């Protein structure tokens, strides 16, 4: 039995599942994130998954996707995207104008605040967070909750916690930010935290 959920078996499986979970609103989150990337900015995308953001920020000067899943990294590289194997739990975050983290904080809870603090330290302009606040894992029917938790396992870890708007706002307010912008985009809350 594999210890990582089938959502992460292949970038195509992952993309198909994301399209189902964000039915009719798949592009909404990416557009909301892209709005916070200024022209000429360098971007580091933490836990980048299939690096789908890369094609949606043509205004950026550079994009670097970081993820612990070798298949995702190989797939991104084959598409000409700069992507590297990286472990958020043990490795430093490279400096960039904009540091992005999408749909990934729940995996690190309750240490996700540390990850956000490190992202804030690594960003020279802004951190952009997109985190789902409406989830199958918490809002779904019993079979949807079961499926969502099972298919999003990583290395044997199952994640029961999911953020809502209040927990995300509490997390972000701990940062010494000059300006915080929060907006719902489909199932996600998109938060831009300026230095
Ligand atoms: C739900 S996916 C989100 C992917 C992408 N950011 C998106 O929005 O589509 C979570 C990602 O976190 C990655 N991940 C999980 N634990 C990680 C870790 N310790 N270090 C780096 N990446 C990790 C997984 O491999 C997966 O690609």
């Amino acid at each position: 039995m594999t210890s990582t959920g089938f959502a992460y078996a292949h970038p195509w499986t992952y993309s198909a599942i994301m399209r189902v979970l964000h039915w009719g609103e798949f592009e909404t989150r990416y557009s909301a994130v892209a709005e916070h990337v200024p022209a000429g900015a360098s971007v580091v995308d933490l836990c980048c998954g299939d690096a789908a953001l890369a094609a949606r920020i043509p205004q950026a000067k550079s994009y670097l996707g970081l993820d612990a899943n070798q298949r995702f990294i190989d797939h991104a590289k084959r598409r000409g995207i700069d992507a590297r194997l990286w472990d958020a739990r043990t490795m430093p975050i490279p400096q960039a104008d904009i540091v992005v983290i999408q749909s990934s904080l729940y995996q690190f809870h309750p240490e996700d605040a540390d990850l956000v603090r490190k992202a804030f330290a690594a960003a020279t302009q802004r951190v952009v967070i997109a985190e789902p606040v409406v989830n199958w894992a918490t809002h779904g029917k019993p079979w949807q909750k079961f499926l969502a938790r099972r298919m999003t396992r990583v290395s044997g870890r199952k994640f029961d916690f999911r953020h809502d708007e209040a927990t995300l706002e509490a997390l972000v307010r701990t940062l010494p930010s000059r300006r915080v912008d929060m907006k719902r985009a489909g199932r996600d809350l998109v938060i831009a935290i300026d230095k």
Side-chain angles (χ1 to χ4, degrees), residues 8 14 29 47-49 67-68 72 86-88 102-104 107:
Y8 304 126
Y14 178 75
R29 178 235 309 186
C47 304
C48 65
D67 201 280
F72 283 177
W86 173 81
D87 186 350
Q102 304 179 93
S103 301
S104 293
Q107 305 174 115

Side-chain angles (χ1 to χ4, degrees), residues 17-26 29 103 132 187-188:
I17 289 170
M18 287 305 116
R19 282 168 196 276
V20 171
L21 292 177
H22 295 265
W23 193 255
E25 297 175 323
F26 182 71
R29 178 235 309 186
S103 301
R187 290 171 169 261
D188 291 70

Side-chain angles (χ1 to χ4, degrees), residues 30-42:
Y30 292 115
S31 310
V33 169
E35 273 175 30
H36 295 295
V37 176
S42 56

Side-chain angles (χ1 to χ4, degrees), residues 70-133:
Q70 183 73 59
R71 278 196 194 146
F72 283 177
I73 298 303
D74 292 345
H75 182 74
K77 283 184 172 166
R78 279 197 295 276
R79 289 180 294 141
I81 295 169
D82 188 4
R84 295 178 207 159
L85 198 62
W86 173 81
D87 186 350
R89 296 183 192 279
T90 57
M91 293 169 74
I93 299 173
Q95 197 178 68
D97 297 327
I98 311 290
V99 178
V100 177
I101 181 159
Q102 304 179 93
S103 301
S104 293
L105 288 182
Y106 69 92
Q107 305 174 115
F108 302 98
H109 187 79
E111 284 91 32
D112 50 352
D114 293 338
L115 182 60
V116 172
R117 268 193 292 277
K118 285 182 198 153
F120 192 71
T124 59
Q125 290 184 22
R126 177 177 296 150
V127 171
V128 184
I129 295 172
E131 189 75 6
V133 290

